[in-house]
Amino acid sequence: AIFVDGVGVGGGVVDRLRQLGRKIVEVNNGAAPIRPADFQNVRAETWSEMREWIKKGGCLPADDHELATDLQGPEYYFDAKNRLALERKEDMKKRGLASPDAADALALTFAARVAAPPIADRWRMDRTNASSWVTA
């Protein structure tokens, strides 16, 4: 599945991908989460889902230093309704940290459940390069 942050600059990306006939999952990180009693917004919820996946053995590239740094950047807190919230990017910038773009991209993939295709459809041969295989 293709997950795109549809807010701001991502809005144009969403429009173009749809124009090209791509099926995408548009994510609005500031929107209400699936579990509003537990999380302030979608961003906090997806980061929490990502954290649980990592704790359960989710595989991350060992040499991706940008992702490792991004995952450690945002601080979390609990809002007045005792919901998990993530530090705003503006506040991270005040602390001298860059926007955690790589980690945000990974977190987007936890915005919706995606079923695996049937085994017979998982791989197809790339006809332009007979020696390579690509996911369907």
Side-chain angles (χ1 to χ4, degrees):
I2 301 171
F3 293 84
V4 181
D5 181 352
V7 178
V9 176
V13 175
V14 167
D15 291 342
R16 182 63 177 143
L17 288 171
R18 287 186 175 146
Q19 184 182 47
L20 294 170
R22 301 287 193 255
K23 294 179 183 177
I24 65 162
V25 177
E26 183 177 356
V27 181
N28 178 345
N29 280 320
I34 294 170
R35 296 178 2 219
D38 297 325
F39 302 102
Q40 185 181 58
N41 54 28
V42 168
R43 183 169 180 248
E45 188 170 42
T46 58
W47 273 69
S48 179
E49 293 284 329
M50 176 175 62
R51 177 181 180 264
E52 291 304 312
W53 173 77
I54 292 169
K55 284 173 55 176
K56 291 177 182 174
C59 186
L60 297 172
D63 61 347
D64 191 337
H65 302 293
E66 177 187 9
L67 179 58
T69 300
D70 284 0
L71 289 169
Q72 298 173 55
E75 294 183 353
Y76 71 92
Y77 61 95
F78 292 92
D79 69 9
K81 296 180 181 178
N82 203 34
R83 301 175 302 178
L84 182 74
L86 281 182
E87 179 179 22
R88 296 175 339 137
K89 293 179 184 181
E90 295 82 11
D91 294 333
M92 290 179 65
K93 187 174 182 178
K94 290 176 188 174
R95 292 194 301 124
L97 299 176
S99 176
D101 296 335
D104 276 339
L106 178 60
L108 284 177
T109 67
F110 292 88
R113 301 277 188 242
V114 178
I119 291 175
D121 295 335
R122 289 190 189 178
W123 299 96
R124 67 173 168 79
M125 187 180 258
D126 179 358
R127 303 220 185 271
T128 62
N129 183 355
S131 64
S132 71
W133 292 87
V134 294
T135 57

